[in-house]
Structure formats: C-alpha cells, structure tokens
Amino acid sequence: MCATGGLWIACGSSKADRKTVDLNNKVMIPPEEPLYTLKRVWLTKKEINGYYYGFSNQALWPLCHSTYVQPMFDESQWSTYKRVNNIFAQSVLEEIGNRRALVFIQDYHFALLPRLIKEARPETTVAQFWHIPWPRQQVFSTCPWQGEILDGLLGNDLLGFHTVRHCRNFLTTVNRVTKARVNYEKAEVILDEKETAVCHFPISVDFEQLSQDAQKGKVKREIKRLKHNLALEGKSIAISIDRLDYTKGIPQRLMAIERFLDNWPEYKGKTVFIEAQVPSRTQISSYRKLGEDVDALVAKINQKHALGAWKPIITLVGPSPPNTLAALRCMADLCIVSSLHDGMNLVAKEFVASKCDNDGTLILSSSTGAARELDDALLINPLAIDQFAASIKEALDMPKSERRRRMRRKRGIVRKSNIYKWAADIFSQLAKLS
Ligand code: GDG
C-alpha cells in the first residue's frame, strides 16, 4: 500500500478506529507520514459473529485445514457471510466510481466479493490471495454452498495460493463441481469465456528488516532481560510462537517435549522450551477448549519433569511486543513449528530471517507451506510423537557446522523469496494477464 499509495478497505472495530476516521470513514496511514488511505467498514456485533466468528472461522477455516475439527455449516452464518461480502462490495464500488481500478482481495473472508465486483464493473481487474490451504475436492464437497463459493472466486482474474498443491486442489474442485473448463497445463479456468489464472505465490517476510531488527540495541537489551528474568543463562533454548489455534499442533508439540524428557532425562535442567502464545478467536468454543487443554498439559509436564527450581516449559501469553518476539528468535537455539496443517507459516521464516549469526535449528512440520521451500529444516510429522521427540534430540545435538550449513541455505532462500518478491510476482502476473 505504501508503495502504490492505494486504498485499503477493512473492518474497523475499536473506539479509536471510529475516532480517527473522517466523515467518509477514511484515515491516512501512517499518520506521521501519510502514504495510503485506510477506509473503515463498520459491522454490527451480530454481523461479526455470523460472518467472522461464524462462517469464516467455524466453516471455512476448519474446512480448508484438514485437522479433524469438524466444520459447522450454519444457514444463518452463511447468510451473514453473504451480507457482509455485499457490504464490502458496495464499499469497493463506491470507491471505484468510474475509474478503471485494480482490486486486490485478501483471504477466505471474501470468497464472494470478486464476483460481486465483476458483475457490477466487468472492466475492473480483480485478484485475490487465499492465505490458507485449499483442501482436496472430496473434503471441500462437504460444504453445502460450494457452488456459490467457487462461482464467487471465479470472479477473480487472478487467484493466488501459497503452494502448487493448493492450486491443484482448487482446479480439481472447480473441474468436478462447476461447468467451467479447466486447463491444467496453463493453470487457468474458463467460465462463460472469462478466464481466472490460478497461481502459487509463497508468501514471505521482510528479510532485511527482520535481520536489521535482530541486531538492534533494544533487542539485545530484551535478550538480557529475558535471560535474567526467566533464568535461561547457560541453557539450550527452544521456542515456539503461535496463535492458540488447533491447526498449529500445540498439544502434539507438548506431548513430544514430554516424550523427549521421558526418553532422555539427561536434558532436564539444561533445556528450556518457551511457548509464546497469543489467544485467538476465543469467542469460539473449540478455541477456548484448546486453551484449557494446553494449560493442563503444560502444568502436567512441568510437574512431572521439574528439577529443583527448573521447569521444562515456560509460557508467555501474548500478544508479545515485536522486540520480545525478535529477542526470542535471536536467543533461541531451536524453533519448533508443529502445525497439523498450515498454508505457509510465517513464524518459520521470521526465525530464519532473525538468525544473523547463521546459527540455530528449525524443526518444521512437513504439513506447512514453508516446508516446500525450507527443506533444510528438520522436517517432522507432528502426529508421530516418538519421531518428533527424537527430532528434538537430534536438533539439540546437531554439530555446529551442520547447523550453520543448514541455516545459511535457509537464509539464502528467505532472503531471495521475501515479501517484496511475493507482491511483485502477483502484480507482474496481473500485468501479463491484462
Ligand atoms: C495465516 C495462515 C499463513 C505470533 N505471536 C505474536 C505475533 N505473532 C505473529 C507471528 C507471525 C504471525 O503472527 C502468524 O503468522 P502465521 O503464518 O504463523 O499464521 P496465521 O496467523 O495462521 O496466518 C498461514 C499466513 O496467514 C500468511 O499468509 O502463513 O498459513 O494460517 O508473523 O510473528 N505477533 C505479535 N505478538 C505475538 O504475540 N505482535
């Protein structure tokens, strides 16, 4: 947005959001050096419940992540989802006016928006990035409104996913469910003589910024503070950073830590596992239940394996400030990402970008998009608890030269495939289409 000086349309929620906008619900961002416009859309509590906590996060989120949490398909949530997509369409169309515009839509909350825009203004270029996986066709077919969702998405000129597999799953779903023609070779769908290109664009991070941040004085001071307050001096440090979400494999990770200490008790007192957690979507009961399960597991493992004042797991309940997150990444010998299913996983890439000393090991679930690129990580199946536990040992025992060789390669990949490349690739692809 800063680079294009464009307009960003998003929900507003807090009182501060209402206070800062003008009569047209707009505010220039960043306030100290205005570069683009943020336009707020206001939703009622009922709309947020039905649309965001409802259909988006109780139907589409579990549907697209194959993690054994059953999606809930509720007629009234679906109708709120449709209504909110219409509200956003009106907001977008108001802004477009008579101009030829390019609209870039983010994520699964707006599956119907592309078609609504295209119907009203066919000459508008519409692209969308779907930040979560696209499941296999058999799984997606359980959604009673699959046809409408696919039709909405086929309003896009370009639809992006993180990986080739998500693109293939989408194309197969379209092929089976709609009357559109699918050209697998060209990765495009043709419906009523209109094309939608379906491409993979692995999202990434601002590598240079994260590398620079890692070397700042305030991060170094934060490392000192954390090491002192958490009694980490002289210990191996393993970190995990995630939203408290059932897709992130948090109980499985805790079970692997427990198994690791069961099998190799000589690591007791020498290794600390820091769990930085941000509570998320707590209005939804499966998320509250996960929080309770995680707390109970941590308490059980800490009680079972405590040694004097030392306990194996330290939880930091977030949101943590950026300096703390940077400090955690910098001081960690090991970062564990154990998602059961994840579109990409930015935490893995942030860890790599922060490791300016080229040292440290990443344990990465092979069910993340990031595993397609970062194959020098120790790849794990988070459900195979014994192997997972053995990987923790392997990571902690890995010779320095091997750690550095793997980290250098991973850093080379993230440095090249950074967030700017992600955006540039999407817009270059759009330019080719128009
Ligand atoms: C979706 C897809 C895809 C974490 N704790 C705190 C905090 N974080 C930041 C991390 C990271 C981000 O939140 C989480 O990103 P992920 O990619 O890991 O996961 P999702 O939230 O599930 O994101 C995912 C992503 O979209 C992008 O396309 O990779 O697959 O599920 O940046 O550092 N940030 C702050 N405090 C915390 O305590 N400030």
Side-chain angles (χ1 to χ4, degrees):
M1 277 294 116
C2 288
T4 61
L7 173 81
W8 183 286
I9 304 183
C11 287
S13 51
S14 67
K15 278 192 190 143
D17 290 344
R18 282 195 191 267
K19 265 194 191 158
T20 42
V21 293
D22 63 16
L23 288 175
N24 297 316
N25 293 317
K26 290 180 185 168
V27 55
M28 293 296 292
I29 302 281
E32 62 281 5
E33 194 202 349
L35 288 170
Y36 70 93
T37 310
L38 174 64
K39 182 186 180 192
R40 293 299 192 181
V41 169
W42 310 109
L43 299 178
T44 64
K45 208 167 171 201
K46 208 168 159 216
E47 283 166 344
I48 292 172
N49 282 339
Y51 153 77
Y52 181 76
Y53 293 113
F55 195 75
S56 294
N57 284 316
Q58 289 183 71
L60 284 177
W61 177 269
L63 178 69
C64 290
H65 290 90
S66 315
T67 50
Y68 320 113
V69 171
Q70 202 174 306
M72 190 178 86
F73 299 118
D74 176 287
E75 193 83 51
S76 96
Q77 290 180 353
W78 167 240
S79 85
T80 311
Y81 183 87
K82 288 199 279 191
R83 184 163 74 245
V84 172
N85 270 250
N86 265 293
I87 293 173
F88 272 86
Q90 290 322 309
S91 188
V92 171
L93 293 169
E94 248 170 48
E95 291 304 321
I96 294 178
N98 291 323
R99 283 180 294 160
R100 264 210 71 176
L102 187 163
V103 182
F104 185 25
I105 302 168
Q106 304 299 318
D107 232 348
Y108 61 101
H109 314 85
F110 295 118
L112 308 175
L113 186 53
R115 172 68 67 212
L116 293 168
I117 296 172
K118 269 285 191 208
E119 265 171 3
R121 296 298 307 272
E123 71 286 6
T124 306
T125 304
V126 185
Q128 183 164 20
F129 191 77
W130 192 264
H131 288 256
I132 61 176
W134 191 274
R136 286 179 307 118
Q137 182 268 326
Q138 294 87 334
V139 174
F140 197 75
S141 69
T142 59
C143 177
W145 306 290
Q146 57 170 340
E148 281 170 81
I149 289 173
L150 292 171
D151 184 64
L153 290 171
L154 293 177
N156 282 300
D157 297 290
L158 174 64
L159 176 59
F161 293 96
H162 289 299
T163 70
V164 174
R165 186 178 298 171
H166 302 157
C167 293
R168 286 222 192 98
N169 286 347
F170 178 78
L171 292 174
T172 309
T173 309
V174 170
N175 199 25
R176 298 263 170 87
V177 178
T178 73
K179 61 181 173 46
R181 254 187 312 126
V182 173
N183 184 332
Y184 286 94
E185 287 294 307
K186 290 168 81 181
E188 81 180 9
V189 180
I190 302 165
L191 180 63
D192 300 332
E193 289 169 42
K194 297 276 182 321
E195 287 135 34
T196 301
V198 179
C199 305
H200 74 286
F201 303 102
I203 204 167
S204 192
V205 297
D206 189 341
F207 179 88
E208 296 302 337
Q209 187 64 55
L210 287 160
S211 294
Q212 281 170 25
D213 289 349
Q215 298 174 58
K216 284 189 177 152
K218 45 188 178 183
V219 171
K220 293 200 172 121
R221 286 193 292 280
E222 180 66 357
I223 293 179
K224 257 193 169 168
R225 188 187 73 85
L226 287 169
K227 283 196 172 174
H228 177 263
N229 289 359
L230 305 176
L232 302 172
E233 222 49 78
K235 306 203 169 55
S236 296
I237 302 169
I239 58 155
S240 293
I241 300 174
D242 19 41
R243 273 187 310 105
L244 260 173
D245 192 296
Y246 52 78
T247 61
K248 303 294 179 185
I250 302 169
Q252 289 73 11
R253 182 164 73 228
L254 295 171
M255 287 188 261
I257 293 170
E258 181 181 25
R259 191 70 50 87
F260 163 73
L261 293 168
D262 287 340
N263 291 352
W264 295 285
E266 64 273 24
Y267 287 84
K268 285 190 192 184
K270 296 182 188 147
T271 311
V272 176
F273 295 87
I274 301 178
E275 294 279 322
Q277 304 168 349
V278 208
S280 173
R281 305 175 191 167
T282 47
Q283 281 83 341
I284 301 172
S285 64
S286 50
Y287 283 77
R288 286 197 300 276
K289 165 93 171 54
L290 173 73
E292 289 158 17
D293 291 351
V294 166
D295 288 349
L297 257 175
V298 169
K300 183 191 117 186
I301 298 166
N302 275 346
Q303 197 183 25
K304 178 176 173 189
H305 286 297
L307 196 67
W310 174 87
K311 53 180 185 171
I313 302 167
I314 297 175
T315 38
L316 303 178
V317 179
S320 304
N323 277 341
T324 303
L325 293 179
L328 288 173
R329 293 191 295 261
C330 289
M331 69 189 194
D333 302 289
L334 169 62
C335 174
I336 309 179
V337 173
S338 54
S339 314
L340 303 179
H341 201 187
D342 216 331
M344 174 53 64
N345 194 283
L346 293 178
V347 173
K349 292 187 172 180
E350 287 162 349
F351 175 67
V352 167
S354 296
K355 284 299 188 189
C356 303
D357 60 356
N358 290 313
D359 203 354
T361 304
L362 174 66
I363 289 186
L364 179 60
S365 161
S366 49
S367 301
T368 59
R372 306 272 75 77
E373 296 166 89
L374 303 178
D375 54 4
D376 269 294
L378 284 182
L379 296 181
I380 53 142
N381 167 1
L383 297 176
I385 303 295
D386 282 299
Q387 291 164 20
F388 189 168
S391 295
I392 296 177
K393 179 172 174 359
E394 186 185 348
L396 292 172
D397 290 350
M398 192 180 281
K400 189 169 181 173
S401 57
E402 176 66 2
R403 290 196 311 255
R404 291 175 67 83
R405 185 189 69 78
R406 288 174 180 246
M407 185 52 82
R408 261 198 299 270
R409 284 211 39 202
K410 290 191 289 262
R411 282 177 64 78
I413 291 164
V414 182
R415 180 183 283 121
K416 206 169 131 217
S417 284
N418 58 29
I419 186 65
Y420 297 104
K421 182 172 187 305
W422 174 81
D425 284 352
I426 292 175
F427 286 98
S428 312
Q429 187 66 32
L430 267 178
K432 277 188 218 156
L433 299 175
S434 50

